[in-house]
Amino acid sequence: METGVSGPRIVVGVDGSPSARAAVRWAARYAGLVGGGVDAVAAWELPGTEAWSAPAVDTDFDEENARQRLTEELREALGPEPGSVRALLVRGHPAEVLLRAAESAEILVVGSHGRGGFARALLGSVSQHVAQHASCPVVIVRAATP
């Protein structure tokens, strides 16, 4: 996953949560400071596809709709001109997708917790997993509280 930017590559996880939007803003500011580019990565997987039983949900996944939602999420976080941010939609478990994407990155940026899990948890499962297993430094960004 290489970008056309010659500077450092920053990977940021995007999942639609407030902390992910804060992470996207942090990554874009950091990229501006170091002259790098941002790969904004959203992962998708069909529930049940990795398990022994058949999926309990409709397996029709609208990839184009997901790409549009990712683009809208980046616009909401960064405005109409996202700069050197490349949107990537990748199939797989979010933690594994982010770890693969960050293999040659300078830094991996994630929100403190995503859309699932317990609201009071200090870290979500994905942010905790990537913090423990990433091959590059990890920044975990919390959403601003009102």
Side-chain angles (χ1 to χ4, degrees):
M1 292 182 175
E2 295 298 319
T3 65
V5 177
S6 61
R9 190 169 67 88
I10 295 93
V11 173
V12 61
V14 181
D15 69 1
S17 67
S19 61
R21 282 189 293 280
V24 167
R25 287 188 291 273
W26 193 98
R29 283 191 304 270
Y30 180 79
L33 292 172
V34 299
V38 176
D39 283 348
V41 179
W44 67 275
E45 65 181 345
L46 297 174
T49 56
E50 300 299 321
W52 60 269
S53 65
V57 296
D58 184 1
T59 58
D60 290 335
F61 177 75
D62 187 344
E63 192 169 341
E64 186 56 36
N65 186 316
R67 286 189 194 288
Q68 289 173 352
R69 286 194 328 261
L70 175 57
T71 300
E72 290 169 13
E73 182 73 21
L74 294 175
R75 283 188 187 134
E76 184 177 322
L78 302 172
E81 297 297 324
S84 60
V85 176
R86 182 172 71 152
L88 300 170
L89 181 64
V90 181
R91 183 177 182 174
H93 184 273
E96 296 306 319
V97 165
L98 289 172
L99 289 172
R100 279 194 313 272
E103 285 176 354
S104 62
E106 175 172 298
I107 194 165
L108 171 60
V109 185
V110 293
S112 60
H113 55 274
R115 297 180 303 174
F118 300 100
R120 293 184 181 160
L122 180 61
L123 291 178
S125 60
V126 171
S127 57
Q128 185 171 2
H129 187 83
V130 299
Q132 293 173 341
H133 299 285
S135 59
C136 65
V138 176
V139 172
I140 300 172
V141 180
R142 291 181 55 91
T145 54

